[in-house]
Amino acid sequence: MVADQDARRCDALCADLQARGYRCVCVASGPVLLERVSGADAVLLASDLPGLDDQGPVGLDCLTRLRQQYRLEQLPVIVMLPRRRADDVDAVLRAGASDVVLQPVDRALVLGRLRTWLRMKANHDTREHFMRIASHDLRSPLTRILTTADLVCELVPPGTMMTTELHRLLAGVSDAAMRMGRIIEDFIELQAVQDGALSLHLASVDVCELLHSTLDRNLAWATQKGIALSLDADQMCMVQADRARL
């Protein structure tokens, strides 16, 4: 999003961005910017944008309001500041700008800075997405461990002989703990995800066998919750995959 009251300046910058494959929207006032900024990946903000109460040396109160809604890593805001106000760069950065470029802007410089900040935002978004997935995936084996431990304590009081079924449940606890360990390893490999260099250990995997082992792993838990699980998959189906990630 380009926020600038100078229509010619805004259109020229948008044309450059669109020529390089960016989707670009121009707005000419602070209220419109704040109304439409949701969903924007970045904002190029002219410091003299009208329509809001003047705060600070360069009238960037909308920057302050943006930072009340979005953290630095969530929404890059590059401020375009007139050269005559170059002394205000520090104040603009302290107000929450991601970066500052001086007007008349060097468009190549603006595009370079924009690419850098968008890459940083993409890394942040990847990390946030990964954290949500990993946090969700950790709950399942942890719940299984706790549920099985409670079940064993209930069914096997001290001095009681352990049955084959209970032994199988305890083996499931070990399996769940190993899965948690793999998820934690994925946390460590997050940088590799961002760099596009995540290591995959490819091997022949029978999807049918994998489905059956997944069913067995969750059967006791499902039964305890009154959920019936069934699987109709008996034909071998081989794929090249990383079994743990699959």
Side-chain angles (χ1 to χ4, degrees), residues 138 141 145 174-188:
L138 279 170
I145 289 171
S174 176
D175 175 71
M178 286 189 292
R179 282 195 295 132
M180 289 182 71
R182 286 196 296 267
I183 294 169
I184 292 169
E185 286 177 6
D186 285 348
F187 274 108
I188 299 171

Side-chain angles (χ1 to χ4, degrees), residues 41 73-74 76 115-129 194:
D41 292 311
E73 63 272 18
Q74 290 179 311
R115 269 195 306 270
T116 298
W117 280 102
L118 286 175
R119 187 162 56 245
M120 292 174 67
K121 180 181 184 298
N123 285 342
H124 169 265
D125 291 347
T126 299
R127 184 182 297 108
E128 291 281 301
H129 181 63
Q194 295 171 350

Side-chain angles (χ1 to χ4, degrees), residues 24-245:
C24 188
V25 175
C26 285
V27 296
S29 72
V32 177
L33 167 63
L34 295 174
E35 179 185 332
R36 301 181 62 184
V37 72
S38 177
D41 292 311
V43 176
L44 298 175
L45 173 64
S47 64
D48 56 355
L49 191 71
L52 293 170
D53 296 333
D54 201 40
Q55 292 181 8
V58 287
L60 287 176
D61 55 319
C62 61
L63 174 60
T64 302
R65 298 196 194 186
L66 285 174
R67 282 294 166 247
Q68 290 170 353
Q69 300 178 56
Y70 304 96
R71 300 192 305 273
L72 195 69
E73 63 272 18
Q74 290 179 311
L75 181 69
V77 179
I78 300 175
V79 173
M80 299 178 289
L81 188 67
R83 290 185 185 276
R84 68 180 183 278
R85 291 182 170 174
D87 291 343
D88 293 327
V89 168
D90 182 60
V92 173
L93 291 171
R94 281 190 283 108
S98 308
D99 213 334
V100 177
V101 293
L102 298 179
Q103 292 173 320
V105 297
D106 180 333
R107 289 181 194 162
L109 176 64
V110 171
L111 291 167
R113 300 274 180 87
L114 181 61
R115 269 195 306 270
T116 298
W117 280 102
L118 286 175
R119 187 162 56 245
M120 292 174 67
K121 180 181 184 298
N123 285 342
H124 169 265
D125 291 347
T126 299
R127 184 182 297 108
E128 291 281 301
H129 181 63
F130 184 86
M131 292 286 281
R132 284 194 297 271
I133 291 174
S135 297
H136 173 270
D137 288 351
L138 279 170
R139 288 194 194 103
S140 175
L142 181 59
T143 301
R144 185 181 180 201
I145 289 171
L146 295 173
T147 301
T148 304
D150 289 342
L151 188 61
V152 170
C153 287
E154 178 184 339
L155 299 179
V156 190
T160 304
M161 185 73 70
M162 181 175 291
T163 65
T164 301
E165 175 64 16
L166 287 172
H167 187 274
R168 188 179 68 81
L169 289 176
L170 287 180
V173 169
S174 176
D175 175 71
M178 286 189 292
R179 282 195 295 132
M180 289 182 71
R182 286 196 296 267
I183 294 169
I184 292 169
E185 286 177 6
D186 285 348
F187 274 108
I188 299 171
E189 290 186 358
L190 177 57
Q191 187 60 51
V193 175
Q194 295 171 350
D195 294 340
L198 183 65
S199 59
L200 295 175
H201 305 289
L202 298 180
S204 293
V205 178
D206 181 355
V207 176
C208 181
E209 183 275 327
L210 179 62
L211 289 171
H212 277 289
S213 68
T214 303
L215 178 69
D216 290 341
R217 193 164 58 229
N218 291 280
L219 197 55
W221 186 19
T223 301
Q224 188 182 32
K225 289 179 171 289
I227 299 171
L229 294 180
S230 63
L231 175 62
D232 181 14
D234 295 321
Q235 188 172 359
M236 183 181 292
C237 177
M238 304 302 296
V239 297
Q240 284 292 113
D242 184 317
R243 181 186 174 90
R245 297 191 186 282

